[in-house]
Amino acid sequence: MIKTRFTEMFGIKHPIVQGGMQWVGRAELASAVSNAGALGILTGLTQPTPEDLRKEIKRCREMTDQPFGVNLTILPTLVPRPYGEYIDAIIDSGIKIVETAGNNPKPFMPKLKEAGVKVIHKCTAVRHGLSAEKAGVDAISMDGFECAGHPGEDDVPNLVLLPAAANVIKIPMIASGGFADARGLVAALALGCEGINMGTRFMATKEAPIHQNVKEKIVSSDERSTSLILRTMRNTSRVYGNSIAKKTIEMEGEGKTIQEIGPIVAGAKGKVVYETGDMEHGIWSAGTCMGLINDIPSCKELVERIVREAEEMIRGRLAKSLAA
Ligand code: NAD
């Protein structure tokens, strides 16, 4: 068992969190991760309406009696989303753990705190972590340049970002972006974190509610298989480097606007990739850690393997190198 301030604070067995992934963070995956002793997260905006989110939370509760959380990502969307109503759905459903991401969580903090919700804020820069800490969040999920989805615009990888953040952030922090195995967990602990967040790694599990082709594509791809899109709009997103991602970058190079690019990058098209396994149908998020993923285990097998190997590494190879 690896016990940290993060595991204690959130009442979980293992210091591993499943990232809030658009279209992937549904009850099947969140409950499997929580049942494995890690922290499962439902993705709020994957549900088309706040009412659907209420139903999904209820469905997840029927699948696990362990703690799980809900992610709320506040980034530009093609169609405006009623964030306040999603927050109400989360609170009314009795959820006690929320992962905020994409923007300053300050406007939502009074309501969440009043409802006794613990907030993990995911961010990509030390200064953003500090301002979230000041706004009263309970923990930080620091997301390095390696990550899938939105890495921010500073391009600082985790070997520097995490210890720089750990130097100044006092509340518990977990490491996100590039984590897929025991070596990552041990490194995160060494870099000043109290756990890891994994997205892409949990996509390649038996329970992830996505097409088998996506899982196999993650296994067969490597650390060079991603592309960075929407850089020209300061809304960078790391996605699988398929023909649609390449086309997006080409259109950005031609100075096209989000209105012109929107139809090909729309999340609604990416959803079809996960449903049908047509890997060129749209944009889908994936991280550089694809280079570390070689199998499709169950969430339980994955979580237990990471923790077991991390313990062996700390007690064995690392302790021995100290004695030598
Ligand atoms: P969507 O279909 O509304 O938009 C598609 C993409 O275009 C998204 O990346 C979005 O951020 C971007 N976009 C939309 N309007 C924009 C604008 N005016 N300027 C610049 N970029 C713009 O998004 P979706 O796929 O339905 O996803 C819903 C939300 O979840 C979005 O905010 C998206 O960014 C976010 N998301 C986050 C991750 C992640 O970081 N893990 C992964 C997927 C989606």
Side-chain angles (χ1 to χ4, degrees), residues 278-295:
D278 172 2
M279 305 309 297
E280 302 295 320
H281 193 86
I283 293 293
W284 59 283
S285 295
T288 52
C289 72
M290 283 190 290
L292 305 173
I293 299 173
N294 302 309
D295 61 356

Side-chain angles (χ1 to χ4, degrees), residues 1 19 28 32 46 49 90 105 163 184 279 304-305:
M1 291 272 286
E28 288 79 6
T46 291
T49 67
I90 290 167
M279 305 309 297
E304 288 179 356
R305 177 172 76 201

Side-chain angles (χ1 to χ4, degrees), residues 27-69:
E28 288 79 6
L29 182 59
S31 63
V33 171
S34 289
N35 285 334
L39 182 62
I41 303 272
L42 292 176
T43 310
L45 296 188
T46 291
Q47 300 305 320
T49 67
E51 198 43 45
D52 291 307
L53 179 58
R54 287 173 206 263
K55 287 186 197 146
E56 190 69 357
I57 292 170
K58 191 162 172 280
R59 206 164 71 85
C60 196
R61 278 229 175 84
E62 283 159 11
M63 297 162 86
T64 183
D65 57 3
Q66 296 301 305
F68 64 91

Side-chain angles (χ1 to χ4, degrees), residues 232-251:
T232 54
M233 293 165 204
R234 293 191 61 77
N235 185 25
T236 300
S237 191
R238 187 184 294 283
V239 300
Y240 192 84
N242 65 6
S243 59
I244 311 295
K246 304 245 158 38
K247 178 77 189 156
T248 305
I249 293 167
E250 199 182 298
M251 288 174 78

